[in-house]
Amino acid sequence: MSVYRIHRVLPVAAAVLLAGCFADNPPAPPSPPPPSPQAMVNAIRAAGEREQSVIDVSPLRDPGVASLQDAAEADERAGDFKNAAGKLDQALRLSPESPDLLQDRAELAVRLQDFPVAEKLAQKSWSLGPKLGPLCVRNWQTVVEIRLHARDAQGAADARQQVQACHKPGINRF
């Protein structure tokens, strides 16, 4: 075989060999984009609304705190998440160990894409809260959503187990 033929055949042979290497390993499908902050908060709140635990603790509201919460809700509905967060921060200065305020602020942190703060607030809310019922579910669903956003499947699975632990079924009386 002449040198001329080897130079013509060699690139073709190399291409065939390389193609064989890639044929067994198809490219991984692209992973879906992480959920939007809006979708994350919707999932958190929906989980709390679905919870039908026999225990549902609703704290008494201080009038000053309640007015700040109402104003924050109005700002949030208007899409002004930064001002809403500021109002909840003011409310938290008046009532720093209020589990419901901490969770509301965690959800605004998700909207603001401040995920480390959101997780910290949700966990603090859980530690101060009833550890059962809708608030507990919202606390742990916040962690689920943050872990999913970070593509931490094991962390999300662990947090889902905690969501399930928030449910306290009623007694069947028949």
Side-chain angles (χ1 to χ4, degrees):
M1 189 181 264
S2 73
V3 173
Y4 176 72
R5 278 190 164 163
I6 291 176
H7 285 288
R8 285 183 59 191
V9 173
L10 191 57
V12 173
V16 169
L17 285 172
L18 284 175
C21 291
F22 292 111
D24 293 336
N25 299 323
S31 58
S36 70
Q38 174 69 38
M40 293 169 73
V41 171
N42 289 346
I44 293 164
R45 292 180 179 168
E49 289 171 8
R50 282 191 308 269
E51 173 55 30
Q52 297 297 314
S53 184
V54 71
I55 296 177
D56 185 3
V57 178
S58 297
L60 297 174
R61 291 176 53 169
D62 174 280
V65 171
S67 67
L68 286 167
Q69 280 181 295
D70 293 341
E73 287 176 18
D75 284 346
E76 184 179 3
R77 281 191 303 275
D80 191 353
F81 306 130
K82 195 170 187 173
N83 276 333
K87 288 182 174 90
L88 286 182
D89 288 341
Q90 285 180 295
L92 282 166
R93 283 192 285 280
L94 297 172
S95 186
E97 295 191 348
S98 172
D100 61 320
L101 279 176
L102 289 162
Q103 180 58 36
D104 290 346
R105 183 60 180 86
E107 292 167 15
L108 279 169
V110 168
R111 287 195 186 275
L112 294 168
Q113 299 184 46
D114 193 351
F115 302 120
V117 167
E119 187 168 349
K120 179 180 171 188
L121 289 167
Q123 289 178 343
K124 184 174 182 183
S125 172
W126 179 81
S127 71
L128 295 170
K131 296 178 184 55
L132 293 169
L135 181 60
C136 176
V137 168
R138 285 173 53 208
N139 297 150
W140 284 106
Q141 188 65 38
T142 301
V143 177
V144 169
E145 296 300 322
I146 291 168
R147 302 285 169 84
L148 288 173
H149 190 273
R151 302 197 189 290
D152 175 5
Q154 185 58 52
D158 293 344
R160 277 191 188 103
Q161 289 180 340
Q162 294 298 321
V163 168
Q164 297 303 316
C166 293
H167 180 72
K168 178 73 174 168
I171 298 171
N172 289 332
R173 298 175 188 206
F174 32 125

